[in-house]
Amino acid sequence: MPKQNKKPKYRQRSSRRGDAKIGVRQVPDGGAWELVRPRCARDRAEDINEVEAMLEAGEDEIAKDELRWLLSGCPDFIDAHRLLGEIALGEGDIPLARGHFGHAFRVGTQAVKKARNPHPLPYAREANRGFHQCGKGLLHCLKQLGKKKLAKQVAAQLLACDPSDPLGIAELLHS
């Protein structure tokens, strides 16, 4: 009898919009988990590449407008929040950066909780990088704002997701 391929475990987080669901699935080797971008974010992947090109060309204002437009149709688009957070951080607007990084991090952690906290959720998986980068950005903002208790909570969540600490979260927390 031929061997059947097992489907990866998969769970979705409900959302206000039908195509804006973030899920978590087990990767094929079964040793790790990854976030599943909402359909609206997957549909806009090419737009994010264009925004990154705009930013490299120094067209920050146009890029911000494009990112806001992308979020209007896909509010849980982690990569769009990450880029807006990075822009705000570069402009010195820590509260705005915290808002974007915080929203993206919260959306990711809610999806993980809804899936019953599967771990690890490693940074090495492309689908998880935006989440981890937003967590690091949020940690930086919380430290700047003197929110040490929240910063420790964010660091603990990130380290639980990827104990190998590829982004230097433990060092950032204690610096």
Side-chain angles (χ1 to χ4, degrees), residues 87-174:
I87 292 168
L89 201 56
E91 294 174 348
D93 192 340
I94 303 298
L96 181 58
R98 177 192 177 190
H100 284 293
F101 291 139
H103 179 82
F105 186 72
R106 183 177 62 249
V107 165
T109 56
Q110 286 173 345
V112 170
K113 286 179 185 176
K114 181 86 173 175
R116 298 184 185 97
N117 294 308
H119 287 88
L121 195 77
Y123 177 80
R125 301 290 305 175
E126 177 67 32
N128 297 335
R129 288 191 184 141
F131 166 75
H132 282 277
Q133 291 165 344
C134 285
K136 183 177 181 177
L138 176 60
L139 178 60
H140 176 78
C141 292
L142 292 171
K143 285 186 62 182
Q144 293 290 318
L145 296 169
K147 309 259 183 206
K148 292 180 182 180
K149 185 176 179 180
L150 281 174
K152 285 181 183 181
Q153 291 172 354
V154 168
Q157 288 176 303
L158 286 168
L159 292 171
C161 288
D162 191 342
S164 71
D165 195 14
L167 296 178
I169 298 302
E171 184 178 324
L172 178 60
L173 182 63
H174 299 297

Side-chain angles (χ1 to χ4, degrees), residues 35-112:
L35 293 174
V36 179
R37 293 179 176 107
R39 189 179 88 217
C40 59
R42 291 188 307 267
D43 292 346
R44 292 165 172 80
E46 191 173 301
D47 294 319
I48 281 293
N49 293 336
E50 290 174 10
V51 168
E52 289 172 339
M54 289 175 200
L55 290 170
E56 287 178 23
E59 299 171 350
D60 292 8
E61 290 304 314
I62 296 169
K64 286 194 288 190
D65 289 342
E66 180 73 11
L67 289 165
R68 288 183 197 117
W69 178 80
L70 290 171
L71 287 173
S72 72
C74 190
D76 293 345
F77 195 171
I78 288 176
D79 291 323
H81 281 290
R82 176 184 54 82
L83 289 171
L84 279 169
E86 290 172 359
I87 292 168
L89 201 56
E91 294 174 348
D93 192 340
I94 303 298
L96 181 58
R98 177 192 177 190
H100 284 293
F101 291 139
H103 179 82
F105 186 72
R106 183 177 62 249
V107 165
T109 56
Q110 286 173 345
V112 170

